[in-house]
Amino acid sequence: MEKLNNHYQLYINGEWQSGSKSQIMHSENPHNNKPWASFDCASKEDIDDAVGYAKNALASRAWGSLNATERGKLLFKLADLIEKNADKIGKIETKDSGKLLAETVTQTKYVSDYYRYFAGLADKIEGSTLPIDKKDMHVYTTHYPIGVVAAVVPWNAQMFLTATKLAPALAAGCSVIIKASEMAPCAMFELSKLIHEAGFPKGVVSIVTGDAENCSAPLTSHPDIDRIAFTGGTDTAKKIIQNSSNNFAATNLELGGKSPMIIFDDADLESAANGIIAGNFGASGQSCVAGSRVIVDKKILKKIIDLISQKSESIIVGDPENSNSNLGPLCTKKQIQKIEKTLKKSIQQGGKIIFGGNKVRGEGNYFEPTLIHCPNNQIETIKIEMFGPVISIIEFENEEEAINIANSSKYGLGSGIFTKNLAKAHRVSRQIQAGICWINTYRAISPIAPFGGFNQSGYAREAGKQSILDYTRTKTTWINISDDPMTDPFVMR
Ligand code: NAD
């Protein structure tokens, strides 16, 4: 492919460069299906270089010997630069992925707080002195940077999903190679300019992209990678785990979901309907925590359907750069095809479309906001992650059945409960198999709150103060504090 006017290069060892195999890809604007930018792709040789430089950086005075407070200062600087450039980055992310501009700009501004949170934590990674059960021993633990991190991110919220990896990794003193999604990598290359400007030493952060075979697989299987932080699909995660058998890299997996939202008959129905809309049509449904299985008390099913239908009538589907639009396009044509196929099968199985169900005519990857009633739990749309604006709704007779339906998925990422009964909210929350439970709210996130899933939604947690320890290794040091020599090992006491 040829270079376009908007062209992005790989960022390796503090320099922007072409890929060694001169492979170029285009990013298509989901609004009109026209290529709007081109970018260089990394080859295995480029990955080898980036990992080599990252390893050197760890041993360098500039990075390896920098104290934790100084690392924190660099991260604070990066946070300010991200906040200052949020409009520019948001615009690029919108062109790349089709997400609403209002969403990408707001998210980018908020992402700067993730960098600030981990900047503050950098010099609070403390070891401990152990009350050891051995005489004359002083024992303590210290945490060291784990090493070179491969951060592999999907296209749907790259600034956010990069921050949850890059910020704790840098705060802990690691070096990082970010593998941006080849579907929409341009905002990440814009980020490389800010990382450079903030003054991180050469090789500490490299940003690459490319396809699975030439870029992601060589990176995640590279023998010098010490940790893999991955967000993406469950099937890709299986390959990542296989790749890690080459390097024994500890791995974080943040994967897909099919999150349940349970609406009890005593809920504030207006609030529940808003939660359902926000949880499913936000980011056009391209969210790992989309609450796409809406499980409603039979007594209020009709009321909820009427409310969602009413609210959805006023949704403006259109150009994500236009501030009046409520629902932008999907990132790729492939997603539209997948949604169409799944809806077709679901209708054959007895699913009933209440509204929507079609691609919007004309150019762009637009899909109508859609509600489908599922008479049972085996309908395709209620099982599969749709990654589009499609709500599957199903009714329950009692609390136990609601919980059973909620837990009948291989995933376990988000969940929602709408009820005014506090006891019921806590009781049900306890029984739901999910890493996050939102009660009378949905899709709220924070750098302070751990984020991650159960079951096939992955393992480990991003955000929250414990997540920084994923980027460290613990060393235990034993010191004999007696003046006596070690005793004869063959004499038992
Ligand atoms: P994907 O799994 O196709 O790709 C994710 C990343 O992995 C990309 O950078 C891709 O290039 C790379 N990759 C692909 N094949 C690989 C291989 N064989 N070896 C190594 N790397 C490989 O996912 P996607 O379509 O970009 O994103 C959508 C998925 O991400 C959805 O399932 C969604 O639920 C999930 N997601 C999860 C979270 C979370 O935090 N749990 C957040 C956002 C998205």
Side-chain angles (χ1 to χ4, degrees), residues 388-409:
V390 179
I391 306 171
S392 296
I393 197 163
I394 186 169
E395 63 263 41
F396 66 84
E397 301 257 3
N398 54 46
E399 191 177 308
E400 192 188 350
E401 193 189 4
I403 294 165
N404 284 341
I405 297 174
N407 286 342
S408 64
S409 166

Side-chain angles (χ1 to χ4, degrees), residues 152-157 160-161 179-183 210-213 216-217 220 230-234 236-237 239-240 243 253-257 287-289 385 387 413 451-452 457 462:
V152 182
V153 289
W155 47 264
N156 65 323
F160 164 61
L161 295 166
K179 155 63 180 73
S181 168
E182 67 276 30
M183 299 296 158
D211 57 29
E213 190 190 342
S216 295
T220 50
F230 173 76
T231 300
T234 302
T236 314
K239 293 180 185 142
I240 296 276
N243 293 349
L253 299 176
E254 298 290 347
L255 311 179
S287 162
C288 52
V289 290
E385 185 182 38
F387 236 55
L413 187 56
F451 183 99
S457 289
E462 294 193 326

Side-chain angles (χ1 to χ4, degrees), residues 24-35:
I24 288 171
M25 283 175 87
H26 287 174
S27 170
E28 209 176 73
N29 183 341
H31 168 59
N32 54 21
N33 303 121
K34 295 197 172 75

Side-chain angles (χ1 to χ4, degrees), residues 153-369:
V153 289
W155 47 264
N156 65 323
Q158 297 213 40
M159 285 300 288
F160 164 61
L161 295 166
T162 297
T164 56
K165 301 165 179 59
L166 183 61
L170 293 177
C174 297
S175 50
V176 184
I177 293 145
I178 299 166
K179 155 63 180 73
S181 168
E182 67 276 30
M183 299 296 158
C186 301
M188 303 310 298
F189 288 123
E190 206 58 41
L191 175 68
S192 70
K193 297 176 190 167
L194 307 184
I195 290 168
H196 197 82
E197 192 181 337
F200 284 91
K202 281 184 170 194
V204 173
V205 183
S206 289
I207 301 185
V208 298
T209 193
D211 57 29
E213 190 190 342
N214 295 298
C215 177
S216 295
L219 175 64
T220 50
S221 58
H222 195 288
D224 289 332
I225 292 294
D226 301 292
R227 179 149 206 119
I228 303 170
F230 173 76
T231 300
T234 302
D235 289 336
T236 314
K238 291 179 185 164
K239 293 180 185 142
I240 296 276
I241 293 168
Q242 282 165 7
N243 293 349
S244 73
S245 71
N246 277 321
N247 47 30
F248 294 101
T251 304
N252 288 16
L253 299 176
E254 298 290 347
L255 311 179
K258 189 73 194 174
S259 302
M261 291 179 89
I262 305 179
I263 320 296
F264 287 102
D265 63 341
D266 63 354
D268 176 329
L269 299 193
E270 182 72 21
S271 166
N274 285 339
I276 294 166
I277 302 250
N280 282 286
F281 298 155
S284 302
Q286 304 167 110
S287 162
C288 52
V289 290
S292 56
R293 290 187 297 139
V294 175
I295 304 166
V296 183
D297 189 315
K298 202 175 171 180
K299 296 193 274 303
I300 52 159
L301 180 69
K302 186 172 176 319
K303 275 191 194 158
I304 283 287
I305 288 180
D306 288 349
L307 263 175
I308 307 174
S309 307
Q310 235 173 52
K311 285 178 185 287
S312 299
E313 267 169 29
S314 57
I315 290 176
I316 300 170
V317 180
D319 184 351
E321 290 192 54
N322 184 333
S323 59
N324 292 325
S325 302
N326 304 123
L327 197 90
L330 303 186
C331 185
T332 63
K333 284 187 195 136
K334 218 170 120 193
Q335 279 172 269
I336 301 250
Q337 287 153 7
K338 184 187 156 192
I339 292 172
E340 284 175 329
K341 198 172 144 211
T342 313
L343 282 174
K344 194 171 163 201
K345 186 164 176 201
S346 303
I347 294 165
Q348 284 162 359
Q349 291 172 318
K352 192 174 154 237
I353 302 277
I354 313 276
F355 60 79
N358 298 298
K359 180 187 182 305
V360 176
R361 283 183 187 209
E363 61 181 16
N365 305 330
Y366 290 95
F367 201 86
E368 295 170 346

